[in-house]
Amino acid sequence: MIQRDYLVIGSGIGGASVCEGVRKHDKRGTITIVGAEIMPPYNRWLLSKDFLREKTPPLKKLAHFDQRWFDSHKIETRFATIVKQFNIERRLAVLGNGESIEFTKACLAMGSRPVRPPVAGVNLGNVIYLRTVRDALALREMASIERTVMVIGGGLLACEAAASLRMMKLKVTMMHRNAYLLNRYLDSQTGPWLTDYYAKHGITMLIGESLNGFEGKTVLRNIQTKSGNRVPAGLAIVACGAEPNLDLVRNTPLSGPHGSPVTEYLETEEKGIFAVGDLAFYPDRIMGGVRRQTHWENARAQGLIAGANMTGKKRIRYEQVPYFWTEMFDLRLHFVGDFSMQPTRVDLRGTYAKKKFLARYYQGEKLRAILLCNQTEREVESAKKELRQALGK
Ligand SMILES: Cc1cc2nc3c(=O)[nH]c(=O)nc-3n(C[C@H](O)[C@H](O)[C@H](O)COP(=O)(O)OP(=O)(O)OC[C@H]3O[C@@H](n4cnc5c(N)ncnc54)[C@H](O)[C@@H]3O)c2cc1C
């Protein structure tokens, strides 16, 4: 039996940052990180961007921490294996490779996985879900053979993948059941502008259409829509959202309908067990309410804080303004604040035509969010400050 002071489950950016946070405050404690993927933690966000588009896959750019980083920080790694049993009472984890680890403190950082829509043909060849470097390598390969692709969804991942594939000169169609792209985040002027921008870049838009199923014997041939259309396609990317990887702790207090519930210190109701990143359902001390974010900076910052808190030498609250960025064609969009409700008023500075603007989203008189298009990092930081000030935080 292996005994460890700290066990980190999941080796994405959340898990990697937990290790960093622990080591900053505890130089000697024993740590093991377990990760399902074969690669050490990498920049997942690149997969729908440069990683797809560049001639040879930029593997060097992808690395966040390599094995040497873990070795030099005296952190033991178990990559390409999973934690398959997690006994909360006995503080014991059983790994897919047969090892058992008894731990004092643990952090859940298992992230999320693509939602598989409940329709026929979701497992056919050439129907791709983009989450891991293996998925991205497969997509690159298929995109070099197939010249037509259907992207299903109109969220962040769908928009990024569609833009990249179009930049790679593929014939791209997007199927999106809502009225405009990024409808979960954008207002009713910016959303249609973006949708039109995609159409102008030669992407065929099937707006208001939903997926009914995939057809083909072993490999995709056609895509059926709910309205009865049948669209020929050699390749499909399904980007219909991500759900938290909570199977390991299902039916325990560590798993809830919206993620793994944690306190403002990122600790679950089981003392000494923390959760971060895509699966943490946390109280938002800035915007109010409780939320789960599926974005890079959130996982990174939460990992660092949870790691520090796990050592018992620090007690830091997670209180960051919700924030993420995305890139599509020549647009870099930054989202600062809470975009979960349609604004009642939008104050737009700049123009869509110049592709450079800043839009303040209000609920009544209250500023709730700021959208920035092609603005500098400095402007993003001042938007965060402005929002904090407006909220009196
Ligand atoms: C293609 C793509 C592009 C993106 N682009 C952006 C972007 O531009 N901006 C942005 O803000 N965000 C972006 N994101 C989202 C961002 O990457 C995630 O929010 C972030 O990776 C979450 O980090 P995490 O560590 O919580 O989870 P993950 O990155 O999902 O890592 C979790 C890891 O845990 C492993 N795991 C799961 N179960 C177990 C188990 N039982 N045992 C061991 N290991 C396990 C998983 O295999 C995975 O390796 C993008 C995501 C994707 C897929």
Side-chain angles (χ1 to χ4, degrees):
M1 173 89 66
I2 304 169
Q3 281 168 341
R4 293 286 173 263
D5 297 317
Y6 307 98
L7 172 68
V8 181
I9 309 174
S11 59
I13 185 63
S17 307
V18 171
C19 293
E20 198 180 344
V22 169
R23 258 306 166 254
K24 195 163 169 210
H25 302 284
D26 180 354
K27 304 278 182 244
R28 283 201 232 138
T30 50
I31 316 176
T32 296
I33 180 170
V34 184
E37 291 179 77
I38 197 162
M39 264 183 74
Y42 59 88
N43 293 320
R44 195 177 301 288
W45 59 268
L46 262 182
L47 298 181
S48 47
K49 306 179 182 77
D50 300 15
F51 190 84
L52 272 189
R53 296 193 298 258
E54 283 186 17
K55 267 220 162 79
T56 42
L59 284 164
K60 270 212 174 126
K61 243 203 266 184
L62 202 58
H64 176 70
F65 285 155
D66 57 12
Q67 184 61 47
R68 266 181 316 186
W69 185 89
F70 289 99
D71 294 344
S72 67
H73 288 81
K74 299 202 164 37
I75 296 170
E76 198 178 58
T77 59
R78 293 287 186 276
F79 296 135
T81 189
I82 56 165
V83 172
K84 60 175 197 179
Q85 277 176 40
F86 188 70
N87 188 319
I88 298 169
E89 263 169 38
R90 289 184 55 202
R91 304 267 151 150
L92 182 76
V94 180
L95 274 51
N97 67 3
E99 288 177 323
S100 296
I101 302 181
E102 219 172 56
F103 57 87
T104 309
K105 293 186 179 164
C107 188
L108 310 179
M110 292 94 76
S112 48
R113 58 172 175 245
V115 169
R116 287 182 179 237
V119 297
V122 283
N123 293 323
L124 280 175
N126 288 16
V127 176
I128 300 241
Y129 303 83
L130 180 55
R131 183 79 201 172
T132 64
V133 68
R134 284 173 64 166
D135 299 333
L137 286 169
L139 178 55
R140 280 179 62 98
E141 193 61 35
M142 289 177 191
S144 69
I145 305 165
E146 298 289 339
R147 299 313 295 166
T148 62
V149 57
M150 170 78 86
V151 178
I152 293 151
L156 294 160
L157 183 58
C159 287
E160 289 188 2
S164 287
L165 292 163
R166 185 67 198 128
M167 288 160 89
M168 292 156 72
K169 307 264 182 292
L170 269 79
K171 197 169 170 301
V172 181
T173 304
M174 286 183 89
M175 184 195 292
H176 181 41
R177 62 180 173 196
N178 289 94
Y180 55 79
L181 296 176
L182 297 188
N183 59 289
R184 272 181 62 194
Y185 306 102
L186 297 180
D187 62 275
S188 58
Q189 240 113 63
T190 312
W193 165 74
L194 183 74
T195 310
D196 194 42
Y197 195 70
Y198 268 64
K200 284 192 176 128
H201 274 83
I203 295 188
T204 307
M205 304 300 305
L206 294 181
I207 288 291
E209 283 275 27
S210 335
L211 175 70
N212 196 45
F214 299 102
E215 288 178 353
K217 261 196 183 150
T218 53
V219 171
L220 177 69
R221 291 271 173 267
N222 297 303
I223 295 173
Q224 297 169 355
T225 71
K226 283 237 161 83
S227 64
N229 283 328
R230 183 185 251 182
V231 187
L235 177 61
I237 299 173
V238 184
C240 300
E243 58 194 3
N245 275 324
L246 282 168
D247 298 346
L248 184 64
V249 289
R250 194 73 68 206
N251 302 322
T252 75
L254 306 192
S255 169
H258 306 289
S260 187
V262 291
T263 64
E264 56 203 5
Y265 300 101
L266 306 173
E267 192 167 17
T268 66
E269 77 170 50
E270 292 291 333
K271 241 184 152 351
I273 301 181
F274 292 69
V276 298
D278 274 19
L279 51 72
F281 187 54
Y282 70 93
D284 185 337
R285 291 180 48 85
I286 305 295
M287 304 305 305
V290 196
R291 79 178 69 238
R292 178 172 82 88
Q293 283 197 69
T294 52
H295 306 300
W296 187 262
E297 293 295 337
N298 170 69
R300 168 108 186 102
Q302 287 191 341
L304 292 172
I305 289 175
N309 290 345
M310 282 169 82
T311 64
K313 293 181 184 157
K314 291 277 163 188
R315 197 157 163 74
I316 308 169
R317 290 193 176 100
Y318 182 71
E319 40 193 0
Q320 311 247 345
V321 176
Y323 164 74
F324 64 92
W325 87 97
T326 179
E327 289 166 33
M328 37 199 73
F329 296 115
D330 54 352
L331 308 175
R332 188 170 166 94
L333 301 172
H334 299 268
F335 296 77
V336 175
D338 179 11
F339 288 82
S340 61
M341 275 189 288
Q342 270 294 313
T344 54
R345 181 164 68 88
V346 178
D347 173 20
L348 180 74
R349 303 287 159 99
T351 60
Y352 296 137
K354 290 200 170 137
K355 295 179 272 180
K356 196 168 161 63
F357 58 84
L358 184 151
R360 292 183 174 82
Y361 285 15
Y362 291 87
Q363 292 293 328
E365 285 312 302
K366 287 195 183 119
L367 181 65
R368 293 291 296 172
I370 304 175
L371 167 71
L372 301 99
C373 178
N374 289 340
Q375 305 280 347
T376 62
E377 292 299 324
R378 228 166 111 184
E379 279 156 320
V380 175
E381 286 314 307
S382 49
K384 289 182 190 169
K385 270 195 204 130
E386 181 186 337
L387 190 59
R388 270 183 192 268
Q389 271 168 8
L391 295 162
K393 303 282 174 172

